[in-house]
């Protein structure tokens, strides 16, 4: 594993720990079950991810042909799934080609 992969793994583990701690704190303070608070946090994070990817696509995707419009429609109508596809498939390719 290279240094970047190790950093990403560390951030992923840190994110999971943070996620669990927040859900436990919410379940204790709000009196809701741990599974409900976990679901609410997951939905909040998924929504924030979707918004971030949508803004990234709108502001940084080049206007070549109809690719930008196609990705925007995909992200809008498939919500988190489309955002995840864009983030995994298109974003690294765009950064490699354009550098942003």
């Amino acid at each position: 594993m290279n240094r970047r992969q190790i950093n990403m793994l560390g951030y992923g583990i840190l994110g999971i720990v943070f996620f669990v701690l927040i859900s436990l704190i919410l379940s204790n303070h709000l009196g809701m079950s741990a599974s409900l608070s976990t679901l609410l946090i997951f939905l909040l994070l998924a929504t924030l991810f979707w918004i971030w990817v949508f803004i990234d696509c709108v502001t940084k995707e080049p206007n070549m042909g109809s690719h930008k419009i196609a990705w925007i429609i995909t992200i809008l109508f498939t919500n988190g799934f489309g955002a995840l596809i864009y983030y995994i498939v298109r974003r690294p390719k765009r950064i490699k080609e354009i550098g942003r």
Side-chain angles (χ1 to χ4, degrees):
M1 290 180 76
N2 63 25
R3 184 171 176 86
R4 186 175 192 281
Q5 290 172 329
I6 292 171
N7 284 342
M8 294 302 287
L9 180 64
Y11 289 139
I13 292 170
L14 185 64
I16 291 170
V17 169
F18 182 72
F19 181 78
V20 170
L21 286 175
I22 294 291
S23 66
L24 290 174
I25 290 169
L26 275 178
S27 65
N28 286 336
H29 285 292
L30 298 178
M32 60 176 68
S33 69
S35 60
L36 180 60
S37 63
T38 303
L39 178 64
L40 289 175
I41 291 173
F42 177 75
L43 290 175
L44 175 67
L45 291 175
T47 302
L48 291 174
F49 175 73
W50 178 75
I51 291 169
W52 174 66
V53 169
F54 178 74
I55 291 171
D56 183 65
C57 179
V58 169
T59 58
K60 296 180 181 169
E61 189 69 31
N63 289 329
M64 295 184 303
S66 59
H67 292 268
K68 184 174 188 172
I69 298 296
W71 277 113
I72 289 172
I73 291 171
T74 302
I75 292 169
L76 279 177
F77 290 116
T78 58
N79 296 330
F81 186 67
L84 191 61
I85 290 172
Y86 177 82
Y87 186 76
I88 292 172
V89 174
R90 176 61 185 150
R91 189 169 186 268
K93 186 178 176 184
R94 185 199 75 218
I95 290 172
K96 191 179 209 181
E97 291 172 354
I98 301 169
R100 61 180 173 117

